[in-house]
Amino acid sequence: MRIDIVTIFPEYVEPLRHALLGKALEQGILSVGVHDLRAWAQDAHKSVDDTPCGGGPGMVMQYEPLARTAAAINADGDKPLHIYLSPQGTTFNHELAAELARKPRIALWCGRYEGLDQRFIVEHIDAEISIGDFVLSGGEIAAAIIIDAVLRLIPGVLGDAASVAEDSFHHKLLDHPHYTRPENTAKIRAPEILLSGNHALIARWRLKQALGRTFLHRPDILNQLELSDAQQKLLNEFLTEQHLGEPS
Ligand code: SAM
């Protein structure tokens, strides 16, 4: 996969080269192009923004440097899916991450100030993605979040593929709780079943916890699922154990 990142703060995305991204780069699973928008500015001051047409506060990122950057990116290999990080976009989630992980090339456009000139969005942007209903100062952090979530879904990026398969949302349920050594902390012992060595019982317990957690924390997700009889039985068992009664 290739990811192009367009920003006026290339140094903000450099830390991405550590951890996940670094591994994917080393393994050749990923190549990254960081594009400094100012390199495509025309004046001596390297300006990429100007005051808004119609007046008002803030600055707007200018069409020309954006369009020149897009032309350079498009000319360098296959045209990517151009994504503008924007609070007005489709809210990012696991399904969207999985969809992006299947693309050969994406370009992430990080806005600043009031955002990009609308004419650039109309002409060049294929999709707008938001990371939530709040406003950041710039798209770089949003780009980092998207890159992280997308990369861990690409086969070979994570050491243990099974850990992705068990993560929250992968099977529509939240993940089960995790414990590690020591078996006893000052007040709480790890669940006996996890120490039993019985893998069938451990798998059953984990599924029950995943169902229970999803019921408690994300009933909206659970309501969209059609539970099998066995899953419903496990959920009922969880609720009885927690003294919560059975779902109506
Ligand atoms: N005036 C814009 C609006 O209200 O829609 C907000 C501009 S914001 C201050 C500057 C940049 O931060 C945006 O162009 C976008 O790239 C990025 N940004 C802000 N919030 C975001 C979010 N929730 N998701 C993704 N990107 C965001």
Side-chain angles (χ1 to χ4, degrees):
M1 183 183 206
R2 176 167 173 88
I3 301 180
D4 295 276
I5 307 165
V6 185
T7 171
I8 58 168
F9 292 119
E11 66 277 16
Y12 269 38
V13 291
E14 271 310 309
L16 281 176
R17 294 196 185 274
H18 301 289
L20 265 190
L21 203 142
K23 260 195 217 159
L25 289 170
E26 272 167 32
Q27 291 168 5
I29 296 170
L30 176 74
S31 70
V32 173
V34 179
H35 306 269
D36 182 354
L37 191 63
R38 290 194 193 282
W40 299 94
Q42 270 172 321
D43 64 354
H45 301 291
K46 301 274 175 212
S47 318
V48 291
D49 57 293
D50 206 339
T51 52
C53 292
M59 302 295 273
V60 178
M61 297 178 80
Q62 291 173 296
Y63 174 90
E64 276 298 331
L66 291 165
R68 278 196 292 275
T69 309
I73 290 174
N74 291 342
D76 179 20
D78 293 336
K79 184 179 176 292
L81 182 79
H82 288 283
I83 299 168
Y84 174 36
L85 288 326
S86 161
Q88 301 180 25
T90 306
T91 308
F92 190 58
N93 62 14
H94 177 78
E95 279 73 33
L96 202 40
E99 199 181 314
L100 296 183
R102 291 191 290 270
K103 303 281 179 206
R105 188 180 182 191
I106 60 174
L108 300 173
W109 293 80
C110 306
R112 283 272 154 180
Y113 321 119
E114 293 302 326
L116 313 186
D117 187 302
Q118 185 62 25
R119 290 165 291 188
F120 176 78
I121 297 174
V122 169
E123 286 179 17
H124 294 277
I125 294 295
D126 303 305
E128 293 186 47
I129 297 181
S130 164
I131 57 157
D133 287 347
F134 44 80
V135 177
L136 301 164
S137 313
E140 290 77 10
I141 293 171
I145 287 171
I146 288 174
I147 291 170
D148 189 309
V150 168
L151 281 190
R152 64 200 315 285
L153 298 180
I154 296 177
V157 171
L158 283 192
D160 186 355
S163 73
V164 176
E166 286 186 7
D167 276 344
S168 297
F169 308 113
H170 204 86
H171 293 298
K172 308 279 181 200
L173 297 174
L174 299 186
D175 197 6
H176 57 76
H178 297 270
Y179 297 83
T180 184
R181 279 184 285 272
E183 293 169 5
N184 295 298
T185 54
K187 290 189 179 159
I188 303 178
R189 180 166 168 76
E192 223 47 64
I193 218 154
L194 298 181
L195 309 173
S196 70
N198 185 326
H199 295 294
L201 283 183
I202 290 171
R204 185 180 186 279
W205 180 89
R206 285 178 170 163
L207 177 58
K208 180 166 65 175
Q209 301 303 316
L211 286 159
R213 282 192 157 194
T214 313
F215 176 87
L216 293 176
H217 299 299
R218 293 295 301 272
D220 57 314
I221 295 180
L222 203 70
N223 285 339
Q224 289 168 21
L225 299 179
E226 266 199 37
L227 297 186
S228 66
D229 289 347
Q231 287 174 327
Q232 189 62 57
K233 189 167 166 250
L234 274 182
L235 176 59
N236 293 346
E237 205 175 293
F238 175 91
L239 296 172
T240 306
E241 285 166 10
Q242 304 288 320
H243 308 292
L244 292 169
E246 290 190 3
S248 50

